[in-house]
Amino acid sequence: MRAVTVSPGMPDSLRLVEDWPEPPTEEGEILVEALAVGICGTDLEIVSGAYGEAPPGQDRLVLGHEALGRVLEDPTGTLRPGDLVAGVVRRPDPVPCPNCAVDEWDMCRNGQYTEHGIKGLHGFTRERWRIQPKYAVPLDPALASVGMLLEPTSVVAKAWDHIDQIGARALWQPQTALITGAGPIGLLAALLATQRGLTVHVLDRNTTGPKPDLVRGLGATYHTVPVAELDLQPDVVVECTGAPVVVLDAMCKVGPTGIVCLTGVSSGGRAIDFDAGAFSRSMVLENSVVFGSVNANRRHWELAAQALAQGDQSWLNALVTRRVPVSGYLDAYTHASDDIKVVLDFTA
Ligand code: BGC
């Protein structure tokens, strides 16, 4: 069967393999036929050779962690043939650390977790894959064309869950959210913010392309000025760019008792001048919180599945700006301006 693979650490090693082996039964009882896989910045980083790890003893890694598939068979009876399904990305570390031991693999403490299509486990960009019931998340049948957005939605569902839990340390009645970056993560974070009834502002540097209309389609306000020039004091900031200046400005912009959640994986290596003393002083005097958030556990995947099912399906479809047949994989992994979410389509 066909599979899109790389040799992690080696640039220019992206290949469509035509005779990849069928998924072994040890991968899980549920056999799934791939419908689509979304591509994100992490995939592009792996393709560039900067990130990613093949399974132990192997030299190639099947890409893909934003899966959507249809169940072919499930001898456990958990799912029915024909059901839409996505596979959870991360698996607990083998020690396991205290968090992984209670299925909070998204909070792994020793870094020995594995991730499908990223770190030590083959991904979902192959015609068929297998999964254990515990890691198989069913999707509403209405999500057949956008279900590959479940994984990025799980990431923002976790971010909002942790914002709520941090907020609950005292009286917490947030009104306004600022989302920095209108890529898929930023737009999905904005969707969840509007579903919570917040007044939402989204900031991005793009003045053209689909982003301004997508933001307005949520009833949110689109800004293109630098964060520091915004005339608002958000209760919550969800930072989705990872760009150092935006991260710092976002941390300084949040209102008193506010919460800043960092979700963008910055590349590092670019030092900028920063007055840590003034920042610390305002954090202390205003009881502010800055925290990082990555990945998601099963509870977040289920929250995300609900959020997508409640979302406007035409808005969700508009996030998918390119659907590329698997044979055009090279094109799919090449970033184009105006891309929001690019999807490899196994049905085309
Ligand atoms: C994925 C996460 C993963 C992270 C780090 C992101 O692209 O969405 O699930 O934990 O990369 O590997």
Side-chain angles (χ1 to χ4, degrees), residues 260-304:
V260 181
C261 173
L262 306 180
T263 68
V265 185
S266 310
S267 44
R270 272 180 53 211
I272 48 179
D273 268 345
F274 176 55
D275 185 343
F279 172 68
S280 160
R281 179 183 165 89
S282 83
M283 292 277 295
V284 170
L285 293 179
E286 297 190 341
N287 290 290
S288 319
V289 176
V290 178
F291 78 102
S293 179
V294 72
N295 200 255
N297 65 40
R298 172 135 199 153
R299 192 168 54 83
H300 304 126
W301 282 75
E302 283 166 1
L303 289 170

Side-chain angles (χ1 to χ4, degrees), residues 40 42 51 65-66 89-90 113 115 118 151 155 294-296:
C40 78
T42 302
Y51 195 51
H65 58 279
E66 300 186 2
V89 175
R90 195 177 277 196
Y113 60 82
E115 289 182 336
I118 303 177
E151 195 280 340
V155 166
V294 72
N295 200 255

Side-chain angles (χ1 to χ4, degrees), residues 164-189:
D164 289 344
Q165 297 201 38
I166 294 167
R169 68 195 164 143
L171 179 70
W172 176 237
Q173 294 173 334
Q175 307 285 321
T176 307
L178 168 67
I179 315 294
T180 50
I185 292 287
L187 289 167
L188 291 167

